[in-house]
Amino acid sequence: MAYPTTIVEIAFDGTPYDVSPTWTAVTSYVRLVNTSRGRSDDFTDFDTGTAQVVLDNRSRLFDPFYTSGTYYGKLLPRKQIRVRATSGATTYDVFRGYIAGWPVSFTEAGLDSTVTLQCFDALGLLATETITDDWYETYLRANQTLKSYWKCNDNGNQSTIVDSIRGFNLNISAAAPTYSFPFVPYQPQLEGLTGNSAALSYYVPSTASTDRTTPTALQLSFVALTAVVPNGNSGVQYFAGSMTFYFLPDPPNAKVTLTYVRTSDGTRWDQTTATGSYNTAVPHHIYFTTDTGGINPKIYIDGRDVSNWTVTTGGTPASANVENVVINNHTMQEFAISHVGGGTSVIAAALYQYSLGLKNETTYTRAQALVAQTSYTNVAYSTNYSATTNYANAIENTGQFLPQLKKTQDTEGGDIFSRKDGTVLLTDRNYVYNNTKSSTVQVAFSDAGGATLKYGKELTLDYDADNIRNSVTVNYTSGYLGANNYIANNTTSTASVGKVSDTIDTYLPDLASATTLADLQLGVGAALKPRVSPLEVGVTNTTADWSTILGLELLERITVTRTPTTGNAITQTMLINSIDHTIRPGVWQTTITGSTRYTGWFTLDVSALDGTDILV
């Protein structure tokens, strides 16, 4: 038979992140190749693709313990490997991924030796990636010119809180009170942040002359939870050059006094919020800013402008202060100082949202931001993804990359999988309906052959009530109020076959977005669709047929026809859920599993009136 010619190559000198490494062919040593890519059903994520490659190691060429071996020192985990196949004059990708290890096996009383490479694709590589769990810091560093930044995530009540910008750490004052306040985590109100209980007085040491500064403008941003202490002595103070800022909560009266003094000319701004307006039992985001020259001060509490100053002038100008921060009886997080003024309500609102672990952006932007924090660059997005109007809101603080990326994809309503060329593809929610190769049949298989490609002898078709979802719950976020959900039900389907539920966790920001996604998934999932058994399609002896088969990719459209001995022929249109290859010398077997779930729908701008599609 005209089987394809197998090519197996390893990038011995490359790294896991090389997009175009130098490949070395090892095909002549290959005894067996198995590859598997795809998912098991319509309602699960695409799995990490795998491959098994058995290499002849009688010469110890692939033995990492053989010091005289050609590749000694290079037989390391996560070396890239790819499997390709040539049919006719064209070479096709079959699998690209990473080698888990190089296990050497000696058999036949030592006369035979093999190395069986267990391989995984890019999703397996990305599963071990971690990213920042603090998007608040990411925003601050990207949008502010910071002079000092104390994350306040030091463990416990430390004597020093580290400054990650200039190294001007906050130290316990010699005059600190004797009482302390236990650590109070901000979760869930401030998801994404960690904290340190700065219940004592902390200050910037004033011994170094380089610590002296004379700003002409100011921005202060911090999140604080007031400690209720016996004498009520709590507050935050900042001194620098010709500027002084006081933030003094009053827990018994649930209010706060704010003072800003421009000591260069004695101008003073004062205000006290109304009684009951400031709940000291919960954390708050505080943002203070002035324009250049130290004028027009603004104060925002939880993103809202509460500026209502009383201005007095004619005071006695003070001498320049050494930069100094005092934090007394507060659990503090994310204290940032910028000497660039003119902050706006947009910045204040954004900082407040970040302090809550929120960031409202398109799923495409969120996916890009997540991927940008990894070392992996071989990523592609479906054609219409960048035009998406679907939004992600909440920010995880797990630090694990792949779960966040998959949840972003669930928010979009799309899929993520590693293609056969190794590229990770992220799809938008309409990809399965309007992508060219998903909406147009790429190949027709039948039991008769002829103008179509023939498949193996066995085929099973059935209806399985477990293969539907007639109740869909979409969990979404609603800011600090926590998780919410919307449940969509198809009562007709439930009455017919019973309830089969599905739950989708998302970062969607509101009920309307959750409703749209749930209704879309219910409209597709509640339909009782035929299930078709896996097709053995590698049974042809025609080179052109193999070229067609090897050109297929996940989620592309195919048809399969069965002609029983009695009655009508049965034809089903499917999208490919999985592709498996088994390759041995002189043998190549390919199996495709398809899904009828995402075909037969009437799609705007794609389907034709009077056609066979169903309007839903």
Side-chain angles (χ1 to χ4, degrees):
M1 298 179 71
Y3 287 121
T5 301
T6 308
I7 305 169
V8 179
E9 299 164 302
I10 298 173
F12 290 107
D13 297 310
T15 74
Y17 304 107
D18 289 341
V19 176
S20 301
T22 299
W23 297 99
T24 300
V26 297
T27 310
S28 60
Y29 299 93
V30 172
R31 295 186 181 181
L32 172 69
V33 177
N34 289 317
T35 70
S36 180
R37 299 169 46 249
R39 61 184 175 186
S40 58
D41 62 63
D42 305 335
F43 303 105
T44 58
D45 293 330
F46 282 94
D47 297 324
T48 297
T50 61
Q52 181 189 63
V53 179
V54 179
L55 298 174
D56 185 326
N57 187 53
R58 286 174 294 179
S59 65
R60 301 191 69 186
L61 185 64
F62 307 106
D63 185 343
F65 307 102
Y66 183 43
T67 57
S68 299
T70 303
Y71 304 117
Y72 180 74
K74 299 179 181 181
L75 303 176
L76 303 174
R78 296 193 173 183
K79 288 295 182 181
Q80 292 195 57
I81 185 171
R82 71 177 180 183
V83 179
R84 298 188 298 163
T86 299
S87 180
T90 305
T91 298
Y92 300 88
D93 292 298
V94 174
F95 177 89
R96 178 169 169 177
Y98 308 86
I99 297 169
W102 302 79
V104 180
S105 179
F106 296 97
T107 58
E108 303 296 330
L111 298 178
D112 192 18
S113 177
T114 57
V115 170
T116 300
L117 305 178
Q118 302 295 343
C119 312
F120 53 87
D121 68 14
L123 291 187
L125 183 72
L126 292 173
T128 61
E129 286 270 7
T130 57
I131 57 177
T132 178
D133 59 359
D134 194 343
W135 289 62
Y136 191 99
E137 176 182 357
T138 303
Y139 180 87
L140 281 172
R141 292 184 180 275
N143 294 275
Q144 307 293 308
T145 305
L146 299 182
K147 297 293 289 186
S148 290
Y149 175 50
W150 299 282
K151 290 176 62 66
C152 303
N153 64 348
D154 315 79
N155 294 325
N157 287 314
Q158 304 294 318
S159 60
T160 299
I161 297 180
V162 175
D163 174 18
S164 62
I165 300 294
R166 294 187 298 167
F168 295 138
N169 299 334
L170 295 176
N171 299 317
I172 291 181
S173 167
T178 57
Y179 47 79
S180 63
F181 186 63
F183 167 69
V184 178
Y186 286 174
Q187 310 281 0
Q189 293 101 327
L190 298 176
E191 184 177 0
L193 302 182
T194 56
N196 185 78
S197 175
L200 308 179
S201 295
Y202 286 83
Y203 75 108
V204 176
S206 58
T207 55
S209 60
T210 54
D211 192 20
R212 192 178 297 273
T213 182
T214 55
T216 61
L218 184 63
Q219 290 184 61
L220 300 176
S221 176
F222 56 89
V223 182
L225 177 63
T226 305
V228 181
V229 294
N231 63 0
N233 181 21
S234 58
V236 178
Q237 302 169 47
Y238 175 77
F239 311 90
S242 60
M243 298 181 182
T244 304
F245 172 76
Y246 299 91
F247 172 82
L248 304 172
D250 179 358
N253 296 301
K255 60 184 181 179
V256 61
T257 295
L258 303 150
T259 299
Y260 163 63
V261 180
R262 189 174 61 183
T263 55
S264 59
D265 60 4
T267 304
R268 180 184 178 112
W269 288 261
D270 291 284
Q271 75 175 87
T272 300
T273 62
T275 298
S277 64
Y278 187 83
N279 184 0
T280 56
V282 298
H284 296 278
H285 177 261
I286 310 301
Y287 176 73
F288 174 79
T289 182
T290 70
D291 293 336
T292 300
I295 61 174
N296 299 324
K298 294 282 187 180
I299 183 74
Y300 299 83
I301 298 178
D302 294 335
R304 185 170 62 91
D305 187 353
V306 298
S307 304
N308 186 26
W309 304 105
T310 297
V311 183
T312 57
T313 57
T316 303
S319 59
N321 294 307
V322 171
E323 185 177 35
N324 197 311
V325 176
V326 177
I327 303 170
N328 195 31
N329 303 313
H330 269 77
T331 298
M332 183 67 59
Q333 288 180 343
E334 312 294 339
F335 198 118
I337 300 170
S338 172
H339 290 170
V340 175
T344 66
S345 59
V346 173
I347 294 176
L351 286 172
Y352 173 54
Q353 289 296 304
Y354 270 64
S355 74
L356 294 173
L358 302 174
K359 182 183 181 184
N360 204 39
E361 58 192 349
T362 66
T363 50
Y364 175 70
T365 302
R366 172 65 61 83
Q368 286 187 308
L370 289 169
V371 170
Q373 295 185 58
T374 73
S375 301
Y376 191 82
T377 59
N378 199 11
V379 175
Y381 301 85
S382 62
T383 304
N384 295 318
Y385 203 161
S386 60
T388 181
T389 57
N390 305 309
Y391 282 82
N393 187 238
I395 298 170
E396 296 272 11
N397 67 339
T398 64
Q400 294 297 314
F401 166 72
L402 194 55
Q404 293 188 53
L405 186 63
K406 286 187 173 182
K407 194 169 179 178
T408 299
Q409 283 302 99
D410 286 339
T411 302
E412 167 57 33
D415 295 301
I416 173 174
F417 60 88
S418 181
R419 295 189 291 201
K420 57 186 178 180
D421 65 358
T423 305
V424 171
L425 178 67
L426 281 71
T427 73
D428 65 277
R429 66 175 55 175
N430 293 316
Y431 179 86
V432 292
Y433 310 111
N434 58 24
N435 173 58
T436 300
K437 290 191 174 183
S438 298
S439 59
T440 305
V441 174
Q442 301 302 297
V443 58
F445 295 101
S446 78
D447 51 354
T452 59
L453 275 68
K454 195 171 184 178
Y455 58 86
K457 298 179 180 180
E458 306 298 328
L459 183 70
T460 302
L461 297 96
D462 73 339
Y463 286 105
D464 182 357
D466 291 336
N467 195 36
I468 63 171
R469 297 293 184 270
N470 51 31
S471 177
V472 177
T473 299
V474 172
N475 294 328
Y476 66 98
T477 180
S478 184
Y480 64 91
L481 297 177
N484 293 271
N485 63 64
Y486 171 76
I487 303 175
N489 292 299
N490 186 313
T491 56
T492 301
S493 174
T494 301
S496 174
V497 298
K499 180 177 285 189
V500 186
S501 302
D502 193 19
T503 299
I504 305 171
D505 292 325
T506 75
Y507 298 131
L508 287 168
D510 50 48
L511 175 60
S513 300
T515 301
T516 299
L517 179 61
D519 289 346
L520 172 65
Q521 300 293 34
L522 182 70
V524 176
L528 188 60
K529 290 278 192 170
R531 183 171 60 179
V532 182
S533 63
L535 302 171
E536 184 183 347
V537 299
V539 294
T540 177
N541 60 2
T542 304
T543 298
D545 291 352
W546 276 109
S547 298
T548 300
I549 292 170
L550 292 171
L552 293 172
E553 182 55 279
L554 300 175
L555 294 182
E556 292 185 358
R557 181 175 287 227
I558 63 173
T559 63
V560 57
T561 298
R562 188 68 181 180
T563 307
T565 56
T566 302
N568 62 292
I570 304 170
T571 297
Q572 293 294 327
T573 303
M574 302 186 293
L575 299 190
I576 297 174
N577 262 351
S578 67
I579 302 176
D580 299 329
H581 299 282
T582 298
I583 310 165
R584 296 187 297 272
V587 176
W588 189 306
Q589 296 175 322
T590 298
T591 302
I592 291 176
T593 303
S595 166
T596 61
R597 174 67 49 194
Y598 299 100
T599 60
W601 305 102
F602 186 92
T603 309
L604 292 178
D605 301 323
V606 174
S607 301
L609 291 174
D610 300 321
T612 58
D613 293 354
I614 301 171
L615 180 61
V616 295

